[in-house]
Amino acid sequence: MNDQDFAKIIELITQRTGIIPRDSHITGIKNFINKRLKELSEKEAQVYYELLCSNRDEMISLINSATVNETYFFREEAQFQLLQSKILPAIKAAAPARPVRIWSAACSSGEEIYSLLLLADAMNIKTDCTASDINTKVLDECEAGVYKKNAVRTVDGAAFHHLLAPYKQPDGSFILPKKICDKITRKQINLSRLVDFPKNQNIVFIRNVFIYFSNEMKKQILNLIAQQALLPGGYLFVSMNEVASIDSTILPDCLEKIADGKVFYFRKKEQAGVSL
């Protein structure tokens, strides 16, 4: 496979997903393509390209290989501390009888959404949780609820590790019971072509994905989430290392950037006569 053929396939990935693969991921994608060419007994990359265009399952397999899914429980602990101390209690106080609606919009293998669910459960707060990702393989992992011991970090998230203690196995892994896993609704969602996504959410987490999108794509996604996914007064969290890249040129007018100590987040402005 020559560089021109490979560049054409990378362009197709970007067209279909909005993802611009980073240099560190290129080798892995190239290895996957070469592996598939051998499996298909095919030497011509153009034939594989045509297969990608016509076969949805083949395209999904390529996308699964192209997306990076490194995460762990209670990642960026300070955000969860803010949720625990201020945000979740405020949402519950505003609408005590209604479950808190939470969407993990790039859930990877599920550690993020389960962290949010376990925290809310510990606070006796009912939730309606949705986990989505473009990668079908990690959605299956999220459904299974089985995690290796490296799904936790020694320092980051340590304040909440006690919430995982009931599910820890002798070998250090974690197995979440079916009654926990069944509380999560899972959906394959392509952020670059947002359709059929959760609406009227109190909280949306979309962390560690904006680094793979162009500014125009970031703007498009933020607008859709702000206008259609979030309730007025709703909260949007991105990774702390992505906050600086979301400036006034792409931030919707209805979202305001808020700092609480060292934690930055975005909140949808309230509308007259509408509450959480």
Side-chain angles (χ1 to χ4, degrees):
M1 180 176 57
N2 60 44
D3 290 344
Q4 185 176 357
D5 288 334
F6 182 65
K8 190 175 178 181
I9 293 174
I10 291 295
E11 184 180 354
L12 182 62
I13 292 173
T14 301
Q15 288 173 354
R16 295 290 180 89
T17 68
I19 295 169
I20 303 172
R22 308 179 90 182
D23 291 343
S24 56
H25 308 144
I26 291 296
T27 299
I29 297 171
K30 185 174 288 187
N31 289 341
F32 175 84
I33 295 171
N34 285 328
K35 173 175 170 286
R36 285 299 291 140
L37 288 173
K38 289 181 181 178
E39 291 171 347
L40 296 166
S41 299
E42 183 56 61
K43 295 181 179 180
E44 296 295 328
Q46 177 61 31
V47 175
Y48 178 62
Y49 178 88
E50 291 169 0
L51 179 63
L52 289 170
C53 293
S54 62
N55 188 306
R56 181 176 182 273
D57 290 340
E58 191 67 40
M59 190 67 210
I60 287 173
S61 294
L62 177 62
I63 290 170
N64 287 352
S65 78
T67 52
V68 179
N69 301 284
E70 180 183 356
T71 186
Y72 52 90
F73 285 98
F74 301 103
R75 186 177 186 175
E76 298 194 277
E77 180 181 305
Q79 293 183 335
F80 288 92
Q81 290 174 330
L82 181 63
L83 286 166
Q84 181 184 50
S85 63
K86 296 182 180 180
I87 292 176
L88 285 171
I91 295 172
K92 183 179 180 180
R98 201 157 57 193
V100 177
R101 291 183 283 270
I102 303 173
W103 175 26
S104 173
C107 70
S108 187
S109 45
E111 290 90 333
E112 178 176 276
I113 193 63
Y114 285 122
S115 296
L116 292 161
L117 173 63
L118 292 173
L119 175 60
D121 279 356
M123 298 173 67
N124 294 315
I125 294 176
K126 292 182 179 180
T127 56
D128 181 353
C129 291
T130 302
S132 71
D133 203 282
I134 195 171
N135 186 321
T136 57
K137 182 180 177 181
V138 295
L139 286 173
D140 289 341
E141 293 174 10
C142 178
E143 183 176 11
V146 177
Y147 297 96
K148 296 178 180 179
K149 60 183 180 182
N150 63 0
V152 299
R153 294 293 188 269
T154 303
V155 178
D156 190 25
F160 298 99
H161 286 174
H162 64 282
L163 299 179
L164 289 164
Y167 316 113
K168 191 171 184 178
Q169 307 302 302
D171 64 356
S173 65
F174 300 88
I175 300 178
L176 301 177
K178 188 175 185 297
K179 66 179 181 180
I180 295 293
C181 298
D182 285 350
K183 291 183 178 182
I184 306 294
T185 299
R186 283 163 288 273
K187 302 178 71 172
Q188 185 193 24
I189 292 179
N190 183 344
L191 291 173
S192 73
R193 301 181 182 185
L194 275 174
V195 294
D196 192 28
F197 56 92
K199 309 296 197 301
N200 300 318
Q201 300 295 295
N202 298 105
I203 299 170
V204 174
F205 266 59
I206 180 168
R207 304 192 299 179
N208 300 297
V209 291
F210 282 130
I211 55 174
Y212 302 107
F213 294 131
S214 66
N215 276 347
E216 186 56 36
M217 185 58 66
K218 291 178 191 176
K219 185 176 182 179
Q220 175 184 315
I221 294 169
L222 284 168
N223 268 292
L224 278 169
I225 289 176
Q227 297 293 343
Q228 300 183 39
L230 277 175
L231 280 168
Y235 301 82
L236 172 67
F237 284 88
V238 301
S239 176
M240 295 299 288
N241 63 14
E242 295 172 311
V243 171
S245 70
I246 301 176
D247 58 25
S248 59
T249 62
I250 62 173
L251 189 66
D253 290 340
C254 64
L255 283 183
E256 56 183 342
K257 184 177 178 180
I258 298 175
D260 190 306
K262 295 182 179 180
V263 179
F264 290 86
Y265 61 91
F266 301 91
R267 192 173 187 198
K268 186 172 180 177
K269 297 173 183 177
E270 298 277 5
Q271 297 175 5
V274 181
S275 65
L276 291 173

